[in-house]
Amino acid sequence: MTYEQTLERIHAFPRFGGSPGVERVRKLLAQLGNPQDRLKYIHVAGTNGKGSTCAMIASVLQKAGYRTGLFTSPFLSDFCERIRVDAEKIPRESLVEITEEVLPVAQGLIENGEALTEFDFTTALGFLWFARQQCDFVVLEVGLGGRNDATNVIGTPLVSVITSISLDHTSVLGDTVEQIAAEKAGIIKPYGVTVAYGDQLPGAMEVIRRAAMKQHNRLVEAAPSVLSVVSSGLHGTELRYEGLSLHLPLLGEYQVKNAATALAALSVVQEHGYSIPDQALMEGFAAVRFPARMELLSENPLVFLDGAHNPDGTHALAETLRNHLAGRPLVGLIGMLADKDVHTAAENLDGLFEQVVTVTPDNPRAMPAEELAAIWRVHGTPAYPVEGVSAAFDKALTLLKENGALVICGSLFLAGEIRPIARKRLREKVGLSADFE
């Protein structure tokens, strides 16, 4: 198969299966020799901050000299982003090879009545690749929820990590933070250690505490106070941690809390007897790259890309804009999915943008640009619906004033679609970020 044919076969699996649970992927992995049982994990669930926290942990472990796998979702521009070893995406030819190997096994299970999903299949590919690459650790991000997620097929990890919990995917996970927390806390395995984001909503934290107690886990609440912010600017945040100076190239107060969570998880890894020198902490944090999380794409013009798409995420984005872009005339380029809480997102960002360009992301669940523009006009913000992300990006640039900034946000699907277009438009600009991929 070609790479394109491989992606077609992977995406042909349904998004959701029949009955929830991990038994489907367990059966698939059993026929592949259970590669997941040969690996050590840092397992990460949560509503917001999963990806950033995973990126920090993986970067530090790699700088400490460990061969480190990283499994994340969704991807932005290339499916291979989801499966990385030492920050390198799985090569396309390798993805083709293991897909050709796993596909007949999956088809046999489907013929016997197993409703395998795309995420089940992708998770199996990841485990197989990480095992064959002889990873020392795998930083494993949950896809959706936790309890019934395909990644939850693993045994007790070195540490279970639960990042910030808020309302999202309510039709699947429940419509209260307590219900969602119960699904996320489903990754807590017997006789392990759990690290929880230290600024949880009280109801969510109580659920996590009960789940940890039930599974005989020691619970570590990652207090943000272990870090002090020395300074922050458009290129990130300078931190102090136990006498060390850490540079985190990510913007936002919430990223400081994610960093505290990552550091707590790394401390647990050290308790297992693995060495993580101070130099690895400093180099690992400085090397963190995580696209579409208040990502600085260009300084002239000033352009940011953020994937915030739920109430907690857009609240955090609003806080970051007030802290770092106060006084600048802002233009928003926004596209969202219709099944997200679009009205709350607009309320959270209300008053921050002088003008908004709306666009329909390339997704069957996308909200039409005209409908999204109407919501922003209700808030008194001039809004211009534009067809196509390329045209929308160009329109947004024309609205920028001197000393202004463009903020692209609303959906990771929009972020993935527009990112290469932004690179093409901004490539010749002096301020284009040097590490922009």
Side-chain angles (χ1 to χ4, degrees), residues 4 18 33 81 100 112 146 178 191 202 220 232 254 284 316 321 351 366 381 436:
E4 291 71 23
E81 296 167 21
E100 288 176 334
N112 286 323
E178 290 81 7
Y191 302 101
V220 178
S232 62
Y254 64 97
L321 295 179
T381 303
F436 185 56

Side-chain angles (χ1 to χ4, degrees), residues 60-78:
V60 170
L61 291 174
Q62 181 186 342
K63 293 297 182 181
Y66 298 107
R67 192 157 177 79
T68 305
L70 177 61
F71 184 79
T72 59
S73 60
F75 65 92
L76 284 182
S77 302
D78 181 3

Side-chain angles (χ1 to χ4, degrees), residues 157-174:
L158 293 174
V159 56
S160 302
V161 181
I162 301 178
T163 64
S164 176
I165 293 175
S166 61
L167 296 177
D168 198 11
H169 299 290
T170 52
S171 62
V172 179
L173 302 179

Side-chain angles (χ1 to χ4, degrees), residues 280-335:
L281 285 173
M282 292 187 290
E283 292 180 1
F285 268 78
V288 171
R289 298 292 181 271
F290 202 64
R293 270 60 174 186
M294 200 55 187
E295 180 184 13
L296 177 62
L297 298 187
S298 169
E299 292 186 54
N300 182 27
L302 194 55
V303 180
F304 291 90
L305 177 65
D306 193 88
H309 55 273
N310 56 37
D312 193 52
T314 52
H315 176 79
L317 172 61
E319 181 180 52
T320 302
L321 295 179
R322 292 188 185 98
N323 289 341
H324 294 280
L325 299 177
R328 292 181 183 269
L330 303 184
V331 173
L333 172 49
I334 304 173

Side-chain angles (χ1 to χ4, degrees), residues 116-358:
L116 285 170
T117 68
E118 179 179 341
F119 192 74
D120 292 334
F121 188 82
T122 303
T123 302
L125 295 180
F127 286 139
L128 197 58
W129 181 246
F130 296 138
R132 290 180 177 176
Q133 291 296 300
Q134 298 182 314
C135 289
D136 298 305
F137 302 108
V138 173
V139 183
L140 186 66
E141 181 187 355
V142 167
L144 178 65
R147 180 170 60 94
N148 292 314
D149 190 76
T151 64
N152 208 29
V153 71
I154 66 171
T156 300
L158 293 174
V159 56
S160 302
V161 181
I162 301 178
T163 64
S164 176
I165 293 175
S166 61
L167 296 177
D168 198 11
H169 299 290
T170 52
S171 62
V172 179
L173 302 179
D175 55 10
T176 69
V177 291
E178 290 81 7
Q179 289 174 321
I180 292 173
E183 291 297 320
K184 308 289 185 184
I187 70 166
I188 299 175
K189 301 292 198 309
Y191 302 101
V193 182
T194 297
V195 167
Y197 180 88
D199 195 24
Q200 295 284 6
L201 293 168
M205 185 59 86
E206 182 56 33
V207 170
I208 295 168
R209 288 193 189 103
R210 290 200 304 266
M213 184 179 298
K214 182 178 180 181
Q215 295 288 7
H216 306 285
N217 270 227
R218 174 165 62 90
L219 176 63
V220 178
E221 297 183 28
S225 59
V226 302
L227 288 167
S228 57
V229 177
V230 177
S231 63
S232 62
L234 298 182
H235 292 277
T237 308
E238 303 301 326
L239 303 166
R240 291 290 290 176
Y241 171 69
E242 296 184 350
L244 295 178
S245 295
L246 301 178
H247 171 66
L248 179 62
L250 301 175
L251 275 179
E253 181 185 349
Y254 64 97
Q255 294 291 12
V256 177
K257 297 174 183 177
N258 291 337
T261 307
L263 287 165
L266 288 163
S267 292
V268 175
V269 173
Q270 287 178 296
E271 290 172 5
H272 285 278
Y274 298 99
S275 174
I276 302 176
D278 289 348
Q279 191 67 25
L281 285 173
M282 292 187 290
E283 292 180 1
F285 268 78
V288 171
R289 298 292 181 271
F290 202 64
R293 270 60 174 186
M294 200 55 187
E295 180 184 13
L296 177 62
L297 298 187
S298 169
E299 292 186 54
N300 182 27
L302 194 55
V303 180
F304 291 90
L305 177 65
D306 193 88
H309 55 273
N310 56 37
D312 193 52
T314 52
H315 176 79
L317 172 61
E319 181 180 52
T320 302
L321 295 179
R322 292 188 185 98
N323 289 341
H324 294 280
L325 299 177
R328 292 181 183 269
L330 303 184
V331 173
L333 172 49
I334 304 173
M336 296 193 71
L337 302 188
D339 56 4
K340 298 299 179 182
D341 191 345
V342 178
H343 291 277
T344 298
E347 290 169 6
N348 287 342
L349 296 167
D350 188 23
L352 289 169
F353 299 120
E354 284 195 350
Q355 302 177 88
V356 163
V357 175
T358 61

